[in-house]
Amino acid sequence: MIRRIHILLLAAALVYAPRVASAQLRVVTSTTDLYDIAKAVGGNKITATHIGEGYQDPHFIEAKPSFVLQLRSADVWAFVGLDLEIGWMPLLLEGARNTRIRQGGSGYLDVSTVIPVLDRPQGNIDRSMGDVHAGGNPHYWLDPQNGRRIARLFKTKFTQLDPTNSSAYDANARAFEARLNAAEKGWQADLAAIKGKPVVAWHTSWRYFAEYNGMNIVAFMEPKPGVPPSPSHLYGVIQTVKRTGAKAIIMEPFYDRKVADLVSKQTGIKILILPPSVGGIPGAVPDYFSLMRYDMSQLANAVR
Amino acid sequence: MRITRYFATCLLLVASAARAQQPDTIRSRSKADSIAKAVRDSVELMNALGAAVADTTQRPTVPLRPQGGSTNPRLLPDFSAVGDLVGDLSPKGSTQPDHSRLGVREVELSVQAVVDPYFRGDVFLGISDLEKISIEQAFLTTTSLPNQLELKIGRFLLPFGKQNLTHRHDLHAIEYPYVLQKLLSDDGLKGTGLWGSRVFAPFGFFQEIQLTAIDRISPATDGLTTAEDVNKSLGGLGFSARLRNYVDVSEAANVELSFSAMTGKRDQPLDATYTTLVKGGSNSQFVPRDVNATIARQSTFGVDFTYRWRPLQQGLYESFILQSEVMHQRNERNPALPVAECPFGAGTCGVPAYAGPARDYTGAYVFARYQTGQRRFIGARYDYVQNPETNGRTLNAGSVYLEWFPSEFTKLMAGYEGLKSADATLSNRLLLQAVFSMGPHKPHPF
């Protein structure tokens, strides 16, 4: 009897094991940038989907039940962290009822843990400072060096969960970095044109971009993160633009440009709608490399 | 509205600029200086935040937490408070239960945390002048059951209809729709018991079944005494079921159509107070008890529909919700009545007669809300309900709302309501509301 049970168990294991081995990792990411890098590293060994779109403000995504369906069978949930998704992620993770991707689960991947974070406040903070992120500025993917860190993190996570394909993940991650290195060489002239040039940014989302390319943010359209500009603040921005000779207002496609138009009309400053994420301008920036290249070249052209 | 805002901004700018171009006066210089300082401050704030990073090349170690206090602040639960202030400027006097013109309707305190590897806990306490302190919700939720199963144990807002699951301070109107107030509860129907739910998608769209078994379907009515407790037998417990169906119509639009039902027993009045014999005491002997109520079954059925539209790219500035719920309540007409025992007690002699609802009730509302700017909304609602408090005579109301969010954590609302009550009199209500939230309040369900 015991022998029969052993035979049955062995047969079941043989039938089941190849399915596990051949199954693709199911990866869901909060943003299109993480999605694109995950796809680059995972290749055909994973299936990937994303919650937010590149032309959508990632702070304010609706926790739609249809996202729950994506998450309930996910092996990996990769998110930006630093409270970027605080307004909707808890609902989705709770609704998904998937222990693999809950905090502490093997597939819970807070990407910010490998990022040298900017703007991390020291000491006490409160809401009078606007939508300040207690853990620091979460818009880190706009620095290619962080793109590399994200790719390495995905390689490590995918290898941990699917060791049989570790060589593929390793090769893909190396290929991603090699491609990024090559792309960087291509925009060196743009970097030189941008460095030190005064610009105005709408939101703090361009801090990492500035850290990378050396542009000098002389004013923010938002008086505090997430707070819409008041008339008196705009007047001050206009004075700053006139004083510094700032060349461009950089803003995301999901902000209302009427207020920026007002500043532009008063000062002649250009308005530059830059996609902050992959897919931010449909068709124009389909992947991470084209996103960085597009933003860099557009900005360089504006400030030259 | 956006055009108005645009012109207002232009006017302010022009006015500011004009003032700045006047001959140098102390006042204009001072104004310009203060504005320039404000801009410098905003940049300096960003720079200070950036400069505050000790070493950006190092991998962060421990998430930042406030200093001092607890011995292990990383294990502290989330504490938050919500204040709900209501002003009633209705022309014929306050229409609030406590007749206040300006009052604190409720303060909600919440404590939320993961309890252990298997459960998370949520506690919501309501504090108000009327109810003092009450346990609004307190439940454990499982976090590790397989097959998309989830159980809750404790007190929770009953999953019946759409708006009953929303905390009152988080509504897009100042009060619950009348159909909820009259057929369920003034401030959200809660149940204490067990909640089980499962998510599934056999047809490719989101579906969820929510089942509850609760202690009773309504709190005991003040002043009513029954011969036996409503929930003495298991058949007296309350039971509810809700089936959610959610479909994405497009990237920007979605619909939800859900069905709810609940049944249970509750106390209903008799025509007078009678004395009856009930089993009691340690020897289970019959003892007399004065009763003025009996137990009758009540069942409620509901359908709710929600259409949402929010374009992804301009979703900060534009959105639209259309929502409706229809409810039908069935009441048992001939419940078992107590036997009056004339020789005992002070009760009326005679045959008790049932004085509870002798009919069923139906009600509905339709609500729409449109976003006119980043922080501004306008809404309108039409209410219809056969009011149980007036034996089913119809109550109609139409209301409009202006809603403004200075930030994600504060809400200011003004509402006008024209109310046609059972006796066909028309009354006007003018309500104001201010809501503020402090601390990490968990987002409310979609």
Side-chain angles (χ1 to χ4, degrees):
Chain A
M1 181 66 183
I2 290 174
R3 183 181 292 174
R4 283 182 185 172
I5 292 172
H6 282 169
I7 291 170
L8 280 173
L9 286 174
L10 186 63
L14 286 172
V15 169
Y16 185 66
R19 286 187 187 172
V20 172
S22 65
Q24 292 174 303
L25 278 180
R26 287 159 294 196
V27 180
V28 182
T29 68
S30 63
T31 66
T32 50
D33 313 284
L34 298 184
Y35 162 83
D36 188 64
I37 299 174
K39 282 287 287 179
V41 175
N44 60 7
K45 306 300 180 191
I46 68 165
T47 60
T49 55
H50 52 86
I51 300 295
E53 297 293 342
Y55 44 85
Q56 184 178 17
D57 188 340
H59 299 87
F60 299 104
I61 291 172
E62 291 187 304
K64 296 193 284 193
S66 47
F67 295 143
V68 166
L69 297 184
Q70 288 183 35
L71 287 166
R72 66 179 185 152
S73 58
D75 298 307
V76 177
W77 161 242
F79 60 100
V80 171
L82 301 171
D83 288 349
L84 182 74
E85 300 96 344
I86 191 74
W88 49 273
M89 187 177 94
L91 284 179
L92 290 184
L93 293 192
E94 220 168 89
R97 302 162 190 190
N98 178 349
T99 52
R100 291 188 297 275
I101 60 167
R102 280 186 190 260
Q103 186 164 10
S106 60
Y108 182 88
L109 189 59
D110 179 351
V111 178
S112 71
T113 54
V114 295
I115 301 296
V117 176
L118 296 179
D119 304 344
R120 190 184 303 147
Q122 303 291 300
N124 288 332
I125 57 169
D126 62 35
R127 293 289 175 198
S128 68
M129 300 163 78
D131 291 344
V132 62
H133 292 264
N137 190 322
H139 305 275
Y140 50 75
W141 61 89
L142 282 168
D143 180 342
Q145 189 54 35
N146 289 336
R148 291 186 182 87
R149 292 186 175 99
I150 297 168
R152 288 175 206 150
L153 178 66
F154 278 131
K155 182 193 78 174
T156 305
K157 177 53 72 176
F158 296 164
T159 302
Q160 176 199 336
L161 296 180
D162 179 22
T164 55
N165 288 312
S166 62
S167 56
Y169 299 134
D170 187 56
N172 290 343
R174 285 174 192 279
F176 175 85
E177 290 200 37
R179 207 176 150 199
L180 193 51
N181 293 341
E184 274 191 301
K185 285 176 187 163
W187 63 58
Q188 287 305 310
D190 288 339
L191 278 178
I194 293 167
K195 190 167 185 182
K197 294 285 169 43
V199 297
V200 174
W202 186 285
H203 182 61
T204 55
S205 40
W206 301 98
R207 285 275 293 116
Y208 290 89
F209 194 55
E211 196 75 6
Y212 174 69
N213 62 27
M215 67 182 182
N216 178 20
I217 300 177
V218 295
F220 288 95
M221 292 290 283
E222 293 178 334
K224 293 172 182 177
V227 177
S230 62
S232 62
H233 179 75
L234 284 182
Y235 175 71
V237 170
I238 289 169
Q239 299 309 308
T240 303
V241 170
K242 287 178 176 171
R243 182 169 47 81
T244 61
K247 301 281 188 189
I249 297 174
I250 304 172
M251 60 186 293
E252 290 88 338
F254 42 78
Y255 289 126
D256 188 355
R257 63 173 286 163
K258 279 180 188 152
V259 180
D261 283 336
L262 209 63
V263 176
S264 175
K265 206 173 284 182
Q266 296 275 327
T267 61
I269 192 170
K270 291 176 192 162
I271 297 171
L272 202 54
I273 309 270
L274 291 184
S277 285
V278 171
I281 295 179
V285 286
D287 58 34
Y288 186 70
F289 307 104
S290 58
L291 169 73
M292 296 306 302
R293 192 180 304 118
Y294 182 91
D295 283 353
M296 216 70 76
S297 65
Q298 292 290 312
L299 179 59
N301 290 339
V303 300
R304 270 194 180 105
Chain B
M1 290 297 283
R2 293 171 71 173
I3 293 170
T4 311
R5 190 189 65 173
Y6 176 70
F7 279 114
T9 307
C10 289
L11 278 173
L12 279 167
L13 268 174
V14 169
S16 302
R19 276 201 302 275
Q21 286 165 6
Q22 285 170 359
D24 276 352
T25 63
I26 292 172
R27 188 177 171 188
S28 64
R29 274 207 306 274
S30 163
K31 175 79 174 170
D33 288 349
S34 69
I35 291 169
K37 182 177 182 305
V39 173
R40 280 200 304 277
D41 285 348
S42 75
V43 176
E44 278 168 12
L45 172 64
M46 309 302 174
N47 291 338
L49 291 172
V53 181
D55 182 356
T56 59
T57 61
Q58 295 297 309
R59 174 178 170 157
T61 51
V62 179
L64 187 75
R65 296 283 174 175
Q67 301 296 310
S70 167
T71 53
N72 195 350
R74 297 179 67 194
L75 284 176
L76 276 177
D78 289 340
F79 294 96
S80 69
V82 177
D84 182 3
L85 320 175
V86 170
D88 191 329
L89 306 182
S90 303
K92 292 185 179 174
S94 172
T95 58
Q96 299 303 303
D98 61 355
H99 304 290
S100 64
R101 284 290 198 180
L102 299 167
V104 179
R105 185 163 64 172
E106 187 177 64
V107 171
E108 181 188 276
L109 302 178
S110 69
V111 184
Q112 299 173 289
V114 172
V115 177
D116 59 25
Y118 316 107
F119 296 101
R120 63 166 287 119
D122 296 79
V123 174
F124 296 88
L125 300 177
I127 305 172
S128 66
D129 293 336
L130 279 178
E131 295 186 3
K132 309 306 177 192
I133 295 181
S134 61
I135 301 171
E136 294 291 310
Q137 297 188 83
F139 54 85
L140 273 178
T141 307
T142 60
T143 57
S144 53
L145 290 183
N147 297 319
Q148 271 77 56
L149 281 170
E150 184 178 86
L151 291 178
K152 288 182 185 177
I153 308 162
R155 179 174 301 169
F156 37 75
L157 284 165
L158 202 67
F160 187 96
K162 189 68 184 170
Q163 290 213 2
N164 193 62
L165 282 166
T166 305
H167 293 201
R168 185 169 56 180
H169 60 77
D170 204 45
L171 294 170
H172 299 311
I174 296 171
E175 293 169 346
Y176 281 110
Y178 280 105
V179 62
L180 270 77
Q181 291 188 48
K182 302 302 180 188
L183 301 189
L184 300 182
S185 168
D186 282 348
D187 59 350
L189 181 60
K190 292 135 195 144
T192 306
L194 188 66
W195 166 328
S197 67
R198 185 171 190 274
V199 170
F200 52 99
F203 305 108
F205 60 84
F206 176 93
Q207 290 186 290
E208 183 181 12
I209 183 81
Q210 299 169 325
L211 304 170
T212 73
I214 55 174
D215 185 51
R216 48 193 300 163
I217 57 167
S218 75
T221 310
D222 286 342
L224 291 187
T225 306
T226 52
E228 294 179 338
D229 290 334
V230 166
N231 56 3
K232 183 179 180 184
S233 69
L234 289 179
L237 296 178
F239 300 93
S240 78
R242 175 169 161 80
L243 175 66
R244 296 180 67 198
N245 303 280
Y246 170 92
V247 179
D248 280 325
V249 178
S250 69
E251 185 182 76
N254 52 72
V255 294
E256 181 176 342
L257 178 65
S258 300
F259 305 91
S260 307
M262 71 173 174
T263 187
K265 291 185 176 178
R266 59 172 298 169
D267 46 12
Q268 297 286 14
L270 298 172
D271 63 329
T273 299
Y274 298 90
T275 303
T276 189
L277 295 177
V278 297
K279 274 191 178 176
S282 55
N283 300 327
S284 291
Q285 292 173 333
F286 282 97
V287 293
R289 178 187 287 179
D290 291 340
V291 299
N292 60 0
T294 187
I295 297 168
R297 179 163 293 281
Q298 188 175 71
S299 303
T300 311
F301 307 91
V303 180
D304 59 270
F305 169 83
T306 304
Y307 169 83
R308 289 187 193 82
W309 173 80
R310 187 181 177 204
L312 296 194
Q313 185 162 325
Q314 287 299 302
L316 287 178
Y317 307 95
E318 277 186 297
S319 65
F320 176 70
I321 295 177
L322 176 66
Q323 189 170 77
S324 182
E325 290 188 53
V326 180
M327 291 183 191
H328 177 71
Q329 188 174 79
R330 303 189 68 170
N331 290 291
E332 185 178 1
R333 313 284 209 282
N334 301 301
L337 300 175
V339 176
E341 300 290 343
C342 286
F344 300 103
T348 307
C349 279
V351 180
Y354 182 58
R359 56 167 292 172
D360 301 335
Y361 304 111
T362 300
Y365 74 87
V366 181
F367 171 78
R369 187 182 82 145
Y370 181 68
Q371 185 177 359
T372 60
Q374 187 171 359
R375 301 188 186 279
R376 296 188 309 272
F377 299 81
I378 55 171
R381 191 176 76 199
Y382 172 73
D383 287 89
Y384 161 88
V385 65
Q386 294 167 339
N387 190 356
E389 293 163 8
T390 55
N391 199 26
R393 292 168 73 183
T394 302
L395 180 155
N396 291 284
S399 47
V400 291
Y401 301 93
L402 296 173
E403 199 176 13
W404 181 53
F405 291 84
S407 75
E408 288 176 69
F409 310 99
T410 46
K411 176 176 77 169
L412 302 174
M413 193 183 282
Y416 162 78
E417 180 180 273
L419 179 70
K420 189 178 166 191
S421 53
D423 57 1
T425 55
L426 184 68
S427 56
N428 298 307
R429 302 178 71 204
L430 187 58
L431 303 174
L432 305 172
Q433 184 190 31
V435 175
F436 61 93
S437 165
M438 299 182 294
H441 203 65
K442 203 173 84 174
H444 290 283
F446 181 73

